[in-house]
Amino acid sequence: MVRRDTAGLVIPLGLPLLLLVMNGSGDSPPVPGLDGMSQQLAYVLPMVIVLTIATVGVINMPSFLATYRRYKILRRLAVTPARPSMVLVAQAVVGLAQAFAGIVLVVVAAAVLFGLSAPADPLGLVVALALTTTAMFALGMLVAAVSPTPNAALAIGLVSFFVLMALGGGFGPRGNLPDGVAAVGAYLPFGAGLDTLMAAWTGGPLDVVQLGALAGVTVVAAAVSARLFRWE
Amino acid sequence: MAVIEVRDIHKRYGDTVAVDGVCFDVEAGEIFGVLGRNGAGKTTTVEIIEGLRTPDSGLVRVLGLDPVRDHRALRTVLGVQLQEGALPDKATAGEMVRLYRSFYADGADPDRLLGELGLDDKRDTFVDELSGGQLQRLSIALALVGKPRVAVLDELTSGLDPRACRDTWELIEQVRAAGVTILLVTHFMDEAQRLCDRIAVFDRGRIAALDTPDGLVARTHGRGGASLDEAFLAMTGADDEGDGLDDVLGGAGLDEADRARGDADGQVWS
Ligand SMILES: Nc1ncnc2c1ncn2[C@@H]1O[C@H](COP(=O)(O)OP(=O)(O)O)[C@@H](O)[C@H]1O
Ligand SMILES: [Mg+2]
């Protein structure tokens, strides 16, 4: 029921692709053990994947739901047996399709333009991808649940997005951040998603605590957003 | 037992008293009209019945259910058309009916329902491409798709042309014939007269009169041929608040004119 939001796809599809194209190459040594993928790409690709998930989950989904609330579409649903969780899940399914499209786009682009190697730990990659998605989407639902207006949703979504991205290493390695901030950022969804995806792709060990943090954010944010959900 | 029981409900918004002690019962199989001018408290009243708003005081039961406490149970038996409710633009009529059908355990067949409502050929049309009448019929379809026992329809025909109004009225009569109890909100006299078994005339948050259409006319005019229109105006009082738009705008216009008359052509204004 939510679709043809073509304008809303510009950022989740376009921005990660742009960042990938601009930063994907660069003179960096190959990752040892992989057939030719540069360390630069091994950082940038997971980063743009997380970026895609985050823009869909934390920016697009909440502003969409808030618009539905604004135009009384949710109000109409409130007098049917539909539950808040159904509305949130329906929205998440649409978001999932968008995020999937965006991820396919950057992975294909990385393969075509740069020397992309197959992920060293496909199973770990799936786990990291799934948990990053659920965590980002749950956060987005929380933003959607508490935002009174579409403007508020966009503002809260954008601020959360930039904070997560900055602390998570989206604007450059977390090593450049103050130690304490970097430590926190590693367990917020952006940083945890980036690290675990990167580890899975390059064959480094997955940090169980980071995966746990992603799962924790998912559970808490989803539960709270279903609680706080407002139809109008 | 009455299908809808409303006992002395009150609701205020800040200084505005929206509903001020309303009581009525709607019997099974009845089309019950809530008639009144804009701002009379009709929507507030029916949205309290729907459980969308909570009254400050008073009691409401629909099929014995408390709209707030038992909202889950209520929503499976109550079909609603909201005055303020919308559908997403970029969904088709068919998608909307199927989506709403999916909310109910038992319900009408979406395709047949659309056919009954004359929307057969609009199944794949986007909501924002439907005409006012078609949108209204879609909205009725959504109110009925869960096979409700009670339907609350707020401003069913506002904005429709006379032809579409008449079609809609026929439809409502069919719905009632199917055994659905209907609470109908309107500010059109002819609609209330044509459709309703009984009418509650709302005025400033209260019920000014409650009777059959004929009874209401007889009350104000004895027997002879008066219309519900006149009865309604008599019951809800003259428009005695404020100076009237004429005075406000006319006054401003005159000031303008006086200033303009500083120049030549003053005659234009007088
Ligand atoms: N949510 C609200 N907030 C503040 N005032 C409201 C609200 N809803 C209704 N009112 C006021 O309550 C009165 C009754 O409104 P309403 O029930 O919508 O009347 P009707 O449906 O008969 O036109 C009006 O004066 C209206 O302005
Ligand atoms: Mg109204």
Side-chain angles (χ1 to χ4, degrees):
Chain A
M1 81 190 217
V2 187
R3 59 167 193 202
R4 298 181 193 93
D5 170 33
T6 32
L9 286 178
V10 171
I11 292 192
L13 297 187
L15 185 65
L17 185 64
L18 188 69
L19 287 177
L20 175 78
V21 171
M22 292 191 330
N23 302 310
S25 66
D27 266 340
S28 67
V31 180
L34 290 182
D35 53 346
M37 184 167 167
S38 72
Q39 286 184 1
Q40 175 86 4
L41 188 61
Y43 184 84
V44 172
L45 182 63
M47 199 280 281
V48 294
I49 289 176
V50 178
L51 185 66
T52 306
I53 298 170
T55 46
V56 170
V58 184
I59 302 177
N60 272 35
M61 288 204 329
S63 65
F64 223 99
L65 266 179
T67 307
Y68 270 34
R69 190 182 289 127
R70 164 86 178 73
Y71 289 107
K72 316 266 185 189
I73 290 166
L74 296 185
R75 190 166 201 268
R76 178 63 187 83
L77 287 172
V79 282
T80 71
R83 308 232 175 136
S85 56
M86 288 167 67
V87 175
L88 294 173
V89 167
Q91 184 67 43
V93 169
V94 176
L96 215 52
Q98 295 177 344
F100 184 74
I103 292 170
V104 168
L105 193 65
V106 289
V107 170
V108 168
V112 171
L113 298 175
F114 312 113
L116 177 65
S117 308
D121 176 4
L123 187 65
L125 187 70
V126 170
V127 172
L129 210 50
L131 285 176
T132 305
T133 307
T134 55
M136 287 292 185
F137 278 30
L139 273 187
M141 286 170 181
L142 189 56
V143 174
V146 301
S147 301
T149 64
N151 262 338
L154 194 58
I156 299 173
L158 278 171
V159 169
S160 326
F161 169 77
F162 281 121
V163 169
L164 290 174
M165 186 168 166
L167 299 188
F171 294 114
R174 280 202 307 279
N176 301 345
L177 297 171
D179 287 349
V181 178
V184 172
Y187 297 101
L188 292 177
F190 201 104
L194 172 58
D195 287 4
T196 52
L197 283 177
M198 189 160 72
W201 209 295
T202 57
L206 288 174
D207 183 336
V208 180
V209 183
Q210 283 183 317
L211 291 177
L214 289 172
V217 168
T218 304
V219 171
V220 173
V224 174
S225 62
R227 248 358 262 277
L228 297 182
F229 188 82
R230 289 174 305 109
W231 295 102
E232 58 181 326
Chain B
M1 187 190 75
V3 167
I4 301 176
E5 300 167 68
V6 178
R7 295 279 172 277
D8 199 29
I9 54 170
H10 292 257
K11 179 78 179 179
R12 58 191 304 157
Y13 298 102
D15 288 340
T16 309
V17 179
V19 177
D20 190 17
V22 162
C23 300
F24 62 87
D25 279 352
V26 179
E27 304 297 332
E30 193 173 28
I31 300 184
F32 187 93
V34 169
L35 180 66
R37 307 198 313 209
N38 289 326
K42 306 183 296 296
T43 295
T44 305
T45 300
V46 297
E47 290 194 349
I48 288 171
I49 294 169
E50 292 155 2
L52 273 179
R53 310 188 195 194
T54 44
D56 298 335
S57 64
L59 178 140
V60 175
R61 291 288 179 270
V62 181
L63 296 166
L65 300 168
D66 178 329
V68 176
R69 201 189 53 218
D70 309 320
H71 66 273
R72 230 165 240 161
L74 180 64
R75 281 164 200 186
T76 63
V77 290
L78 184 70
V80 171
Q81 190 204 22
L82 295 180
Q83 185 180 10
E84 280 203 334
L87 305 174
D89 290 344
K90 294 299 175 196
T92 66
E95 285 171 344
M96 286 317 295
V97 179
R98 283 194 297 277
L99 175 71
Y100 274 60
R101 170 66 188 83
S102 73
F103 299 150
Y104 301 88
D106 181 29
D109 176 61
D111 284 335
R112 279 190 52 197
L113 186 60
L114 281 173
E116 288 294 323
L117 290 165
L119 291 171
D120 253 333
D121 54 338
K122 297 296 167 194
R123 205 161 293 175
D124 301 319
T125 305
F126 291 134
V127 165
D128 64 354
E129 290 164 2
L130 295 173
S131 74
Q134 291 160 353
L135 197 58
Q136 206 73 320
R137 273 179 280 156
L138 175 58
S139 160
I140 296 170
L142 298 180
L144 299 179
V145 72
K147 285 197 180 163
R149 294 175 59 194
V150 183
V152 181
L153 310 168
D154 195 350
E155 304 266 341
L156 183 66
T157 55
S158 297
L160 295 191
D161 63 55
R163 177 65 215 248
C165 277
R166 246 160 271 271
D167 291 348
T168 308
W169 294 342
E170 264 169 37
L171 191 74
I172 297 309
E173 280 167 343
Q174 288 169 25
V175 172
R176 183 252 293 272
V180 180
T181 303
I182 297 173
L183 181 59
L184 180 77
V185 175
T186 183
H187 57 248
F188 295 124
M189 264 46 86
D190 50 349
E191 179 165 294
Q193 183 144 32
R194 153 89 189 254
L195 285 177
C196 299
D197 301 305
R198 290 188 303 145
I199 298 171
V201 178
F202 273 56
D203 185 35
R204 286 165 237 191
R206 295 168 169 274
I207 293 185
L210 198 170
D211 208 333
T212 62
D214 291 345
L216 287 176
V217 174
R219 264 191 210 205
T220 31
H221 292 272
R223 297 295 120 187
S227 69
L228 183 61
D229 245 323
E230 293 165 40
F232 175 70
L233 290 176
M235 267 172 295
T236 57
D239 202 348
D240 50 12
E241 282 155 47
D243 292 334
L245 201 56
D246 239 22
D247 287 351
V248 177
L249 296 180
L254 277 182
D255 290 348
E256 283 289 306
D258 288 343
R259 255 173 267 132
R261 209 165 287 154
D263 311 311
D265 298 337
Q267 289 307 320
V268 177
W269 296 95
S270 53

